[in-house]
Amino acid sequence: MMVEELNLFPLNALVILGGSAWLDFLLGDPKSWLHPVQLIGWAINFASQLIIKKVTGKTARRLWGIFLGLKIIIGSGFLAWLIVHLAEKISPVLAIFIQIVGVASCFAGHSLAQAARSVIEPLKMGDLSTAQQKLALFVGRDTDNLSETEILRATVESVAENTVDGVTAPLFYALLGLAMPFIGPWPLAIAYKAASTLDSMVGYKREPYTDLGWFSARLEDYLTWLPCRLTVLMLALLSKKPRQILAMARRDGPLDPSPNSGWSEAIYAAILGVQLGGDNYYQGVLKSKPLLGDAVQPLTIGKISQGLWYSRTVFLWQLLLGLMIILAIQAGAMP
């Protein structure tokens, strides 16, 4: 049985995606394991530093930026496809197992919840210093002088943004890959993670990455656009007040210069009844973001927990709906 046949079989579709979701929920990313994104990060760092040292000039760096982005993204997806293809020659069961582990490594739901809770616990104890230190591990802004309210805001914003980047967007591409038997779920999911990693490492709007990272940053915006909008729509439906929530998201989402993070934060601000955005410091430099949502309710620890609940729930609903659509298409294609 070939990999293509594997992915067309409805039971295997359920096993691969369902098993991946369950594995991420139970284990997340064990620190003792070498994560695929670590390998991607090492490759990006090595190649980008080499280009920065050897290549000068705006046009040349932009061209090399395109080459870097395409090589990392396509290479990551192809390597995942090759691993599954070779495993299939040994055993179909082994191929399924590898896909479960591989796709699970692309989901960050468990890690996101762990990170948020690592901030919640010291806040409950009134330990502001520890909360600042824990927050600094997963946000880019300066955290040393943040008040409790600012810590809460930063955590909610991180949950909102990473729900799309680390949870629903990888799921979208895993489902898309599952619908294309000749590719499979892991190659597309890891290719998206490669694009996201490129954006976070070289997609900065400052030197020396201004020209080198422009392509990666723009491509990641395009790749995330549709999964972000689908997530916004699903979250609005889950809120049980879709018209009101969507109206607020449409009002505030476009205010942010980012075509995706503004929408993800705006929908969470609307659902939670809080206000996000405002002033942040990055390496001592002030960056003001537009205010999103209305401060109907104060930012509390409970709002973080509520945000994590929405993150898990929107993932599960998109997983179920995606599998139902794929299985329906496959059933219709069968003779």
Side-chain angles (χ1 to χ4, degrees):
M1 187 184 293
M2 298 295 290
V3 174
E4 289 81 359
E5 295 172 1
L6 254 174
N7 287 330
L8 282 173
F9 190 54
L11 179 60
N12 290 331
L14 293 172
V15 169
I16 293 171
L17 267 296
S20 299
W22 185 245
L23 186 60
D24 176 64
F25 177 77
L26 287 180
L27 297 178
D29 302 319
K31 294 181 180 179
S32 59
W33 295 10
L34 182 62
H35 198 283
V37 173
Q38 286 181 274
L39 298 175
I40 294 171
W42 292 342
I44 294 170
N45 183 65
F46 175 80
S48 62
Q49 294 306 313
L50 185 63
I51 294 171
I52 289 170
K53 289 179 181 178
K54 300 291 185 180
V55 180
T56 59
K58 182 182 182 71
T59 301
R61 282 196 175 178
R62 285 199 161 210
L63 291 174
W64 275 100
I66 296 174
F67 175 76
L68 171 66
L70 293 178
K71 183 176 182 180
I72 294 293
I73 294 168
I74 295 174
S76 298
F78 175 75
L79 184 58
W81 177 88
L82 183 62
I83 291 172
V84 174
H85 182 71
L86 294 176
E88 172 58 24
K89 293 182 178 296
I90 300 172
S91 166
V93 175
L94 177 62
I96 291 177
F97 176 76
I98 288 175
Q99 289 180 86
I100 290 174
V101 175
V103 174
S105 73
C106 297
F107 297 151
H110 186 96
S111 300
L112 177 58
Q114 275 190 323
R117 289 179 185 132
S118 73
V119 176
I120 290 175
E121 291 308 315
L123 281 180
K124 287 180 178 179
M125 304 295 293
D127 188 352
L128 201 63
S129 177
T130 300
Q132 292 168 343
Q133 293 171 17
K134 295 295 184 180
L135 180 63
L137 297 176
F138 62 94
V139 299
R141 72 192 69 181
D142 301 341
T143 64
D144 292 345
N145 298 311
L146 294 184
S147 66
E148 180 176 348
T149 300
E150 289 171 326
I151 292 173
L152 292 168
R153 174 170 68 85
T155 306
V156 172
E157 288 173 354
S158 181
V159 169
E161 186 172 354
N162 285 288
T163 291
V164 174
D165 294 346
V167 179
T168 59
L171 173 62
F172 173 86
Y173 284 101
L175 288 166
L176 185 62
L178 194 65
M180 296 186 287
F182 54 93
I183 295 180
W186 186 27
L188 276 193
I190 197 64
Y192 173 79
K193 292 295 287 187
S196 181
T197 306
L198 277 160
D199 179 48
S200 64
M201 292 185 66
V202 301
Y204 302 119
K205 294 181 179 179
R206 63 174 184 268
E207 294 297 345
Y209 301 105
T210 305
D211 297 314
L212 180 63
W214 74 274
F215 174 78
S216 295
R218 188 64 61 84
L219 181 61
E220 197 273 344
D221 285 343
Y222 289 135
L223 292 175
T224 307
W225 192 93
L226 181 56
C228 178
R229 270 62 184 177
L230 292 174
T231 301
V232 167
L233 178 60
M234 180 66 72
L235 285 169
L237 293 173
L238 289 172
S239 74
K240 300 179 182 178
K241 300 180 293 183
R243 289 187 179 181
Q244 177 184 342
I245 297 301
L246 278 176
M248 293 184 67
R250 286 196 298 266
R251 182 194 71 185
D252 296 340
L255 299 178
D256 194 284
S258 169
N260 299 308
S261 64
W263 280 85
S264 60
E265 292 181 18
I267 191 70
Y268 267 84
I271 288 177
L272 300 178
V274 299
Q275 190 169 73
L276 303 177
D279 293 341
N280 300 315
Y281 284 88
Y282 297 85
Q283 298 180 356
V285 179
L286 174 63
K287 182 177 180 181
S288 297
K289 297 185 66 176
L291 296 175
L292 308 174
D294 299 326
V296 178
Q297 300 179 33
L299 281 161
T300 62
I301 290 175
K303 293 300 180 182
I304 299 175
S305 299
Q306 191 178 353
L308 289 173
W309 182 87
Y310 275 110
S311 177
R312 290 191 299 269
T313 305
V314 74
F315 172 81
L316 289 174
W317 273 109
Q318 289 192 2
L319 172 64
L320 290 172
L321 289 174
L323 285 173
M324 288 172 61
I325 292 170
I326 291 172
L327 295 180
I329 293 173
Q330 290 177 350
M334 292 177 64

